[in-house]
Amino acid sequence: MENILSIKNLSVSLSGKRGIVPILHNISLEVEQGHILGIVGESGSGKSMTAFAINQLLPGGRKSIVDGSISFCGEDLTEKTEKEMTKFRGKEIAMIFQEPMTCLNPVFTIGRQMKDVIMTHQKKSSKEAEKQAEEMLEKVHIRNPNRVLSCYPYELSGGMRQRVMIAIALSCSPKLLIADEPTTALDVTIQAQIIFLIKEACKATGTGVIFISHDLGVVSQLCDTIAVMYSGQIVEVGRAADVLAHPQHPYTKALLASVPSFTPREDGNDTLSAIPGMVPDPLEVITGCRFAPRCSYAMDICHKKVPPLQIFADGYSLHCHLQKEVEN
Ligand code: SF4
């Protein structure tokens, strides 16, 4: 499969009142056509900042200090001007967020907003755009698309608004869809429907997806590959089944151990574990592993040296001083 996105050694620092704040450290990621990459981690781990960096929408705009490359279909987005980026955003790279109301304009109907997006990126008449808007709503399984086109956002439920956002995002057949916690505000049954829609759309059109979530349960249902982020770094990447069944990094293990389970554990211990401490302040100078103060496996070397990147077969990699356990 062809790579749509290839991020290499991306580091980002934001310039603000607190000075230069490093927020992403040496990130490398790839997304193939028709594949879904999940990015997981606690709040403050840098998941959303990675998405903003891809879209060149970092807080502080051009004042941000960016090192490394973000190659999208062979073009380095870090070298694009603001005007050039407008050709990518919405058309080639679409985004959906946790709260659709922050993206939908409350004073225009859904139909008007969908038509605007379609006509901005495609040479279509108003009538053609309306027809396409209706078809897109049908594709996301909205039963009465004509009625929904005439509604204002406040007249729809949260789940319906998120379906509309997916329809808008997919209306220009993007090569890459970035979904930033799109199911977090929804109840479980609606979450499942939205996950199904994203999966269906991705597999049908070959759109690559980056699905950002703190919920490992959601990610396990949807993603082909998982990247685990901690404090602005990627600590473990691999096929979803491998990372979830045989996590190697102590942070991934701790994240998985903190997921509530309906079935009793083999060791009989049903206490829900939590990761002690907090994600460090980005300005905190840490000489070794950034997870060391919270890691139950930490050794002397972890506090002194940055862990090496260990690369294995099938795109699996690990940032840790511990060696990968050999699976039977
Ligand atoms: Fe823990 Fe050391 Fe690995 Fe960091 S490098 S995760 S402190 S074992």
Side-chain angles (χ1 to χ4, degrees):
M1 281 275 184
E2 196 188 324
N3 263 351
I4 294 170
L5 182 77
S6 179
I7 301 177
K8 288 220 162 48
N9 306 321
L10 178 72
S11 295
V12 173
S13 299
L14 301 181
S15 165
K17 284 185 190 151
R18 299 173 73 205
I20 306 287
V21 182
I23 50 157
L24 296 179
H25 307 266
N26 218 12
I27 303 266
S28 293
L29 280 176
E30 290 182 343
V31 182
E32 286 179 6
Q33 202 178 19
H35 269 233
I36 305 179
L37 166 72
I39 303 184
V40 294
E42 290 162 282
S43 300
S45 57
K47 308 181 299 290
S48 297
M49 284 299 166
T50 305
F52 289 136
I54 294 167
N55 260 312
Q56 302 289 295
L57 286 173
L58 287 161
R62 299 276 147 182
K63 282 194 208 150
S64 315
I65 302 160
V66 178
D67 198 19
S69 63
I70 303 172
S71 172
F72 175 73
C73 298
E75 298 198 61
D76 190 348
L77 298 181
T78 62
E79 291 174 356
K80 299 291 171 202
T81 62
E82 182 55 27
K83 195 172 169 206
E84 287 167 334
M85 275 310 297
T86 58
K87 291 179 196 150
F88 290 94
R89 293 187 202 122
K91 182 166 183 351
E92 308 269 336
I93 305 172
M95 271 191 95
I96 47 176
F97 297 93
Q98 179 176 331
E99 182 38 81
M101 278 306 263
T102 55
C103 307
L104 292 168
N105 191 325
V107 300
F108 293 124
T109 62
I110 298 297
R112 160 84 190 265
Q113 297 185 59
M114 289 191 75
K115 271 168 59 180
D116 279 354
V117 172
I118 293 166
M119 289 166 74
T120 301
H121 295 293
Q122 300 174 50
K123 285 182 187 146
K124 292 209 163 166
S125 66
S126 173
K127 212 163 182 184
E128 288 167 334
E130 189 165 336
K131 188 162 184 297
Q132 189 181 339
E134 196 182 323
E135 285 166 6
M136 289 312 299
L137 291 182
E138 275 169 6
K139 276 194 183 151
V140 295
H141 306 291
I142 287 180
R143 275 204 207 112
N144 195 342
N146 264 323
R147 187 189 69 79
V148 172
L149 285 174
S150 63
C151 288
Y152 288 88
Y154 74 87
E155 296 179 277
L156 304 177
S157 66
M160 284 287 270
R161 285 197 289 261
Q162 199 57 288
R163 277 168 197 258
V164 167
M165 281 313 299
I166 295 173
I168 292 176
L170 297 175
S171 59
C172 296
S173 310
K175 294 195 172 84
L176 179 67
L177 172 69
I178 302 175
D180 190 354
E181 304 266 9
T183 59
T184 305
L186 304 173
D187 64 42
V188 183
T189 49
I190 309 293
Q191 263 188 17
Q193 293 167 11
I194 297 296
I195 288 169
F196 170 77
L197 280 179
I198 292 176
K199 201 167 193 168
E200 186 184 57
C202 159
K203 301 298 172 192
T205 59
T207 300
V209 177
I210 296 180
F211 190 91
I212 295 170
S213 180
H214 65 276
D215 187 333
L216 281 161
V218 171
V219 166
S220 68
Q221 293 173 53
L222 182 68
C223 300
D224 300 301
T225 309
I226 292 180
V228 183
M229 281 193 85
Y230 181 76
S231 186
Q233 292 175 323
I234 291 185
V235 295
E236 184 166 11
V237 183
R239 286 193 303 215
D242 295 340
V243 173
L244 295 170
H246 307 286
Q248 299 290 314
H249 195 280
Y251 179 60
T252 316
K253 289 183 184 178
L255 272 184
L256 282 164
S258 58
V259 176
S261 169
F262 285 113
T263 50
R265 296 215 173 131
E266 278 173 18
D267 58 7
N269 180 6
D270 56 3
T271 317
L272 187 62
S273 49
I275 308 173
M278 305 272 289
V279 178
D281 186 306
L283 279 177
E284 196 176 328
V285 179
I286 297 174
T287 41
C289 170
R290 297 187 72 78
F291 187 55
R294 306 173 74 187
C295 179
S296 52
Y297 298 77
M299 305 164 282
D300 274 356
I301 191 173
C302 303
H303 297 280
K304 293 175 190 151
K305 272 185 97 175
V306 174
L309 171 66
Q310 305 177 51
I311 299 175
F312 301 89
D314 296 328
Y316 181 85
S317 64
L318 176 71
H319 258 289
C320 184
H321 285 296
L322 295 174
Q323 296 297 307
K324 186 176 186 255
E325 290 163 18
V326 179
E327 290 144 28
N328 294 322

